[in-house]
Amino acid sequence: PVRPPSLPTGRPAGHSVPYIPADQALGNHTEHCWTDCDDSVIHVRAGPDYKIHKKKAPTKPALFQTIGADLFEANKRLDDSRLYVDLPFDKCVPASDVAWPVPRMLIFNFQLPKPGGMYSALSSKDGTGYNFFVYYTPS
């Protein structure tokens, strides 16, 4: 993981966890990377009467696609990735191409405490831990 205080401003987002195309990742056992996955392999409960027939069906196409990921180690919570990286708007779908009212980019921030660290949205105390940012754009 990268320590944010040492990051120069203007660092491109999505480079601390590199993307590997799925055809290269399979069997390659590349560590610390991400790849696209086939969303149709996930089966979900089908229909309102699932409790009766117990049928599952492949999911519909994903509403968002992953465009990058970052993992940072920090001495405190990082609530806003924009302070540490330049967001990858060049990889986003243009707003004019989105048929429904959603943002061009969604960012999920998973905050993971290190053992012994205080890391909670409910706590006013802060501590060391990891921040895993994942960037998405509409499909």
Side-chain angles (χ1 to χ4, degrees):
V2 178
R3 292 185 180 275
S6 65
L7 285 175
T9 57
R11 181 178 185 278
H15 287 293
S16 68
V17 181
Y19 169 77
I20 304 291
D23 60 340
Q24 294 176 20
L26 293 174
N28 194 8
H29 304 290
T30 305
E31 292 185 358
H32 311 294
C33 66
W34 69 274
T35 191
D36 297 314
C37 62
D38 179 5
D39 49 8
S40 68
V41 299
I42 298 173
H43 289 239
V44 296
R45 295 175 179 185
D49 53 350
Y50 170 79
K51 290 183 180 182
I52 298 169
H53 61 70
K54 305 285 187 198
K55 291 184 181 177
K56 291 190 174 185
T59 61
K60 294 182 180 179
L63 298 176
F64 287 83
Q65 65 183 17
T66 306
I67 56 173
D70 281 310
L71 178 64
F72 298 132
E73 180 179 3
N75 294 328
K76 63 178 186 169
R77 289 192 320 234
L78 304 178
D79 294 326
D80 191 348
S81 65
R82 296 175 302 160
L83 300 175
Y84 306 100
V85 295
D86 285 339
L87 296 176
F89 282 108
D90 59 319
K91 296 180 181 178
C92 288
V93 173
S96 60
D97 292 351
V98 179
W100 33 290
V102 296
R104 288 181 54 211
M105 184 184 307
L106 283 178
I107 302 170
F108 284 89
N109 178 7
F110 301 93
Q111 298 179 338
L112 310 166
K114 287 177 86 173
M118 301 285 285
Y119 225 68
S120 168
L122 303 175
S123 172
S124 61
K125 297 180 180 178
D126 212 348
T128 60
Y130 300 98
N131 288 265
F132 182 54
F133 293 101
V134 185
Y135 311 97
Y136 298 93
T137 192
S139 296

